[in-house]
Amino acid sequence: MTTHDETIYDDSSPGLDSSLPGADAYGASVDDDTAGARSFTVSGGDWNDLVDEATALHEERIVVNMGPQHPSTHGVLRLILELDGETVTEARAGIGYLHTGIEKNMEFRTWTQGVTFCTRMDYLTPMFQETAYCLSIERLLGVTDRIPERASVIRVMMMELTRMSSHLIALGTGGMEMGATTVMTVGFRERERILRVFEAITGLRMNNAYIRPGGVAQDVPHGAVAMVRGVISELRTGLSELEKLLVENPLLKGRTVGVGYLDLTGCVALGVTGPVLRSTGLPHDLRKSAPYCGYETYDFEVKTRTGCDAYDRLRIRIDEMYESLKIVEQCLERLQRTEGQPVMIEDKKIAWPAQLAIGGDGQGNSLDHIREIMGTSMEALIHHFKLVTEGFRVPPGQAYVAVESAKGELGCHAVSDGGTRPYRAHFRDPSFNNLQATAAMCEGSQVADVIVAVASIDPVMGGVDR
């Protein structure tokens, strides 16, 4: 396996004295006697200071960087590994290389415009961020019970398709990192089917900004239900192929069984959720324990296993995709039953135009709406202008709403000072919390197992460095 690991012991390291007795220019000691070796606890400061201190002890150890440009770190994640031969004795995760300032930027945009920002955080699960954000706004507005049923059904369908899309990426990239390129090609092939559905419904493959406060941007287009039914059939076949390729593969089991072990106690202590938590046997799923968007009315199971390792996390993701297909099929039945019903709240002080149609200019503006505001009602034109440019006001207060993302609990804490913009919007992204488990999973294992452990966490740095 090719890596981009490189030692941080070099001649350019500040404070490194290559003339120390028993040390060469790279800080490697020629003294193999490590009895009574001291340990150091890093609590901040410059990592190079610890390197210099460790070098002065003349111990046979090496510190390497994995990333932040490593192909197996799911984004710009830097892993600082201390090695004793091939054994990892210490692992630290260095984050912040992708910091985007999304949460801060949202304070300078209207509540509706904030959707365009939060959808880009974890770019593999955009619908979950959008839903959590909009649900928190709706709770602040006190309109949670006034969201149209059809809008909630569409939200659930889009979230479950997103869950599958994210899991397919997790399995595909994890397989590629272990050298199984076929797993990635099959995974991406199936994900492409889902992205075509997103494009047909929202107009975009990713970063959709489709779910809005009060409902969704627009209803599903004509023929979308039949299209999704066809995709479900194709996905079942593709998932079956992926399952046969992975589940009983002796090479995969050799790389994943017993690797990245983290039990229930460790998950609770670190705040780890999602498939990593459910691999310990705890059936914690917010769709069941704290339902939202009507999830309590859907028939599905929370999948768990008890191995606490990378293999069980893989199996849980496969099982969850089959459950998501069941939920999407139920959504399609409800979409047929609610055809013609609104997909945006009736309150015109909140609702953006949602019954859109493609005009002659190719833009998604309802011709009836344009005709009314431009030629019939001056009041409607003024209202539209104020709603789009200034936005609606949200009563002062704060609300926290969490949803079950593909990676775990994703929550949005929205704070309003009574204005048209968020005073503060802060997200609890599961990748950020789950990434804390890296050290617990990796220390004591082999270097190659680090790749598998991180892949089983499935972090996305867009959610970590938001």
Side-chain angles (χ1 to χ4, degrees):
M1 178 179 64
T2 303
T3 67
H4 295 171
D5 305 345
E6 55 180 344
T7 177
I8 64 172
Y9 287 154
D10 56 31
D11 292 325
S12 63
S13 298
L16 176 63
D17 185 359
S18 59
S19 65
L20 287 171
D24 63 14
Y26 296 96
S29 171
V30 296
D31 183 7
D32 292 330
D33 184 13
T34 58
R38 296 169 56 195
S39 63
F40 294 86
T41 300
V42 183
S43 57
D46 192 344
W47 180 257
N48 285 331
D49 293 340
L50 179 73
V51 171
D52 296 339
E53 193 173 358
T55 305
L57 293 176
H58 318 307
E59 296 176 358
E60 190 66 53
R61 63 177 181 169
I62 187 171
V63 180
V64 299
N65 280 317
M66 182 180 290
Q69 294 86 21
H70 194 280
S72 297
T73 50
H74 295 247
V76 282
L77 168 65
R78 178 190 180 199
L79 294 175
I80 304 161
L81 307 178
E82 182 179 304
L83 307 179
D84 180 7
E86 282 288 314
T87 302
V88 178
T89 58
E90 184 177 350
R92 297 174 67 231
I95 64 174
Y97 294 91
L98 186 66
H99 189 61
T100 53
I102 284 176
E103 292 177 341
K104 193 64 179 177
N105 273 302
M106 292 171 71
E107 298 174 15
F108 299 90
R109 297 295 187 274
T110 66
W111 291 96
T112 302
Q113 287 173 330
V115 178
T116 308
F117 283 89
C118 68
T119 188
R120 287 167 161 77
M121 295 192 326
D122 184 339
Y123 37 82
L124 299 181
T125 61
M127 296 295 174
F128 292 108
Q129 285 99 244
E130 295 177 23
T131 302
Y133 175 66
C134 290
L135 288 176
S136 65
I137 296 173
E138 290 159 7
R139 180 170 294 180
L140 283 171
L141 289 167
V143 299
T144 301
D145 296 333
R146 293 161 55 190
I147 305 304
E149 179 190 0
R150 187 173 179 84
S152 293
V153 172
I154 294 174
R155 288 178 176 183
V156 170
M157 182 181 74
M158 300 299 274
M159 281 191 286
E160 293 307 316
L161 289 172
T162 301
R163 189 183 312 278
M164 296 184 64
S165 172
S166 177
H167 284 347
L168 287 168
I169 288 286
L171 299 180
T173 55
M176 178 196 68
E177 289 157 8
M178 289 184 283
T181 54
T182 307
V183 178
M184 184 171 184
T185 56
V186 173
F188 271 69
R189 180 193 69 191
E190 300 309 310
R191 175 175 178 261
E192 187 65 25
R193 305 186 198 279
I194 298 173
L195 293 187
R196 284 203 294 269
V197 172
F198 289 163
E199 187 174 18
I201 294 177
T202 73
L204 294 165
R205 291 160 55 89
M206 298 171 65
N207 304 331
N208 311 91
Y210 175 68
I211 297 170
R212 292 181 180 172
V216 296
Q218 59 184 356
D219 201 352
V220 296
H222 179 71
V225 172
M227 177 186 183
V228 176
R229 285 198 188 280
V231 168
I232 287 177
S233 176
E234 295 171 346
L235 285 172
R236 285 194 189 279
T237 303
L239 284 180
S240 177
E241 291 179 11
L242 201 58
E243 195 174 16
K244 293 174 182 176
L245 188 63
L246 292 173
V247 170
E248 295 302 330
N249 189 314
L251 294 176
L252 179 121
K253 295 181 76 170
R255 288 295 306 275
T256 57
V257 174
V259 173
Y261 183 87
L262 186 68
D263 60 13
L264 178 58
T265 303
C267 287
V268 172
L270 295 169
V272 174
T273 53
V276 181
L277 176 61
R278 290 190 285 275
S279 71
T280 68
L282 183 68
H284 176 69
D285 190 313
L286 293 174
R287 295 175 294 175
K288 290 287 190 181
S289 59
Y292 51 94
C293 293
Y295 264 112
E296 66 275 11
T297 64
Y298 291 86
D299 178 29
F300 68 98
E301 298 177 10
V302 177
K303 295 295 184 179
T304 61
R305 298 181 73 86
T306 57
C308 307
D309 57 11
Y311 178 73
D312 274 8
R313 292 165 206 146
L314 177 147
R315 292 291 301 273
I316 284 175
R317 290 186 173 99
I318 292 176
D319 293 340
E320 285 186 356
M321 285 191 280
Y322 282 112
E323 294 301 310
S324 291
L325 285 177
K326 286 169 52 177
I327 296 175
V328 172
E329 286 178 329
Q330 296 171 60
C331 289
L332 293 178
E333 295 174 3
R334 300 185 188 197
L335 286 178
Q336 287 182 314
R337 175 172 55 81
T338 60
E339 189 171 358
Q341 294 184 13
V343 295
M344 179 58 73
I345 192 171
E346 293 182 359
D347 189 345
K348 295 303 181 184
K349 293 184 177 180
I350 301 172
W352 276 45
Q355 301 295 346
L356 304 181
I358 302 299
D361 57 356
Q363 300 298 310
N365 292 313
S366 168
L367 296 179
D368 292 336
H369 179 70
I370 294 175
R371 187 179 297 112
E372 179 187 3
I373 65 174
M374 296 300 291
T376 305
S377 172
M378 176 60 71
E379 290 76 12
L381 178 59
I382 295 173
H383 171 73
H384 180 84
F385 180 80
K386 292 277 285 183
L387 182 64
V388 172
T389 58
E390 181 181 303
F392 54 80
R393 294 188 177 275
V394 174
Q398 55 184 325
Y400 176 82
V401 179
V403 302
E404 187 67 34
S405 173
K407 299 171 175 62
E409 179 179 336
L410 169 70
C412 175
H413 180 209
V415 182
S416 173
D417 60 359
T420 60
R421 303 179 303 185
Y423 178 79
R424 187 76 174 92
H426 177 63
F427 289 82
R428 182 216 187 270
D429 192 280
S431 289
F432 180 83
N433 292 72
N434 294 357
L435 198 58
Q436 297 178 97
T438 303
M441 289 183 181
C442 297
E443 290 177 357
S445 64
Q446 301 294 296
V447 176
D449 294 336
V450 174
I451 306 298
V452 178
V454 172
S456 73
I457 297 174
D458 186 29
V460 169
M461 300 312 291
V464 177
D465 295 340
R466 62 197 179 284

